[in-house]
Amino acid sequence: MSTRLAIATLNTRGLPLKDTRIAERFAAIAAEFDAGDIDLVCLQEVFAYHHLARLRKGMPSFPYVAYRLSVAGPAGGLVTLSRLPLAGTAYTRLPRSSREIPARARLNALHSGILTVRLGDSRVRVLNIHPTANTDGDWSEHNRFRQLQRDQFIALAQAVTADSSPAVVCGDFNVAQASTLHRDLQQRSGLRDAFNGNCPPTFHTEYLAPGTKPHCIDFILVTEAIEVDDTDLLLTDKRPLPTGPAYLSDHIGLLARLRIPGASS
């Protein structure tokens, strides 16, 4: 017997800070997910409780909500919403110490973490992750962000392998698919890409500096026992909002329909 799981991931905030229309966008994001058939959604950059409240109000069919409390909002901006019961929640901070990266990046690294939930009727774990961004856009082995991102990926691999239960890892990894860090992560953790390496750029080009190449930086990774039935992209086009059409995020969302053999307890 197998458990079927439709899971999505989206970095919700993104966009330039000016004129983000965040209230409209969060309401529209919530409405899209609530109208669909996805079982569980991993969201990143939900930094304020009133934004979380707007999402919860617009997603009444997702009664199970996981996050770790912090002063201003969910720790690390990570929130997981589910139509399926959840058995437990844990939050882990990722390594954040590096003298090589700029001061602002060190500050942002304080919000890097992993939110782990376990589905209530199975052994399946879902890890929602948001590592530190490489603001240089340089994925070479000599880039100043590499050591910190390597340390964070090692911490992720340790979180995955600390438990033998099947695992799904979702999030905005902030590391391009072309980086060898992904190969190292898969070797350490046993994870594989649900999109089989065929995910297109997940960042809208119009939010990049002129001449900058977009990359696939968002991922859904699964351990070996999990079978992938189908994958798709979400929120690829602009949506009508009260103040005019707009992308709901600077990121594109990802969807994977999975089967976990023998997962039911």
Side-chain angles (χ1 to χ4, degrees):
M1 184 176 181
S2 62
T3 296
R4 294 183 181 272
L5 178 67
I7 188 167
T9 183
L10 176 70
N11 182 323
T12 61
R13 186 174 174 88
L15 301 175
L17 292 179
K18 183 180 179 182
D19 189 31
T20 63
R21 295 189 277 177
I22 191 166
E24 293 181 28
R25 292 193 297 104
F26 271 44
I29 288 170
E32 293 245 0
F33 282 124
D34 199 64
D37 64 350
I38 295 168
D39 300 309
L40 185 145
V41 180
C42 293
L43 301 179
Q44 301 88 47
E45 295 200 12
V46 184
F47 288 125
Y49 287 120
H50 64 278
H51 296 150
L52 174 58
R54 185 174 294 275
L55 289 167
R56 297 187 70 171
K57 181 180 179 181
M59 299 173 68
S61 66
F62 289 79
Y64 306 100
V65 183
Y67 60 95
R68 173 63 62 86
L69 291 168
S70 71
V71 175
L78 297 173
V79 176
T80 298
L81 300 98
S82 177
R83 287 180 162 128
L84 306 174
L86 302 176
T89 303
Y91 180 80
T92 306
R93 287 184 175 180
L94 289 171
R96 56 191 185 278
S97 177
S98 176
R99 296 180 180 179
E100 301 297 324
I101 64 176
R104 183 171 181 178
R106 291 199 298 271
L107 179 62
N108 290 338
L110 298 176
H111 300 292
S112 299
I114 307 172
L115 178 69
T116 303
V117 301
R118 190 180 298 272
L119 297 183
D121 61 350
S122 73
R123 299 173 55 243
V124 180
R125 291 172 296 146
V126 178
L127 289 74
N128 183 357
I129 185 169
H130 193 202
T132 302
N134 180 338
T135 54
D136 292 343
D138 174 8
W139 315 109
S140 70
E141 297 190 3
H142 302 291
N143 181 257
R144 57 183 172 172
F145 283 88
R146 184 177 176 85
Q147 185 59 53
L148 175 59
Q149 293 185 317
R150 180 176 182 272
D151 291 343
Q152 292 184 342
F153 273 26
I154 289 174
L156 171 58
Q158 291 171 341
V160 172
T161 58
D163 190 322
S164 61
S165 58
V168 185
V169 181
C170 302
D172 171 8
F173 281 56
N174 276 317
V175 177
Q177 190 176 53
S179 172
T180 57
L181 289 172
H182 280 286
R183 179 199 63 201
D184 296 343
L185 170 63
Q186 292 179 19
Q187 290 176 345
R188 292 176 185 275
S189 65
L191 291 165
R192 73 181 194 282
D193 185 2
F195 283 74
N196 197 30
N198 295 319
C199 186
T202 57
F203 198 90
H204 290 295
T205 305
E206 69 180 63
Y207 296 113
L208 294 171
T212 303
K213 180 182 177 181
H215 292 275
C216 177
I217 57 174
D218 300 81
F219 295 90
I220 298 177
L221 308 180
V222 298
T223 50
E224 184 176 356
I226 298 177
E227 300 177 21
V228 180
D229 284 340
D230 191 24
T231 57
D232 204 355
L233 305 178
L234 303 172
L235 307 178
T236 58
D237 302 317
K238 292 184 177 181
R239 297 294 196 267
L241 297 177
T243 55
Y247 290 114
L248 300 189
S249 172
D250 54 7
H251 286 252
I252 292 172
L254 302 181
L255 164 66
R257 299 187 185 279
L258 309 172
R259 279 184 293 130
I260 302 94
S264 297
S265 57

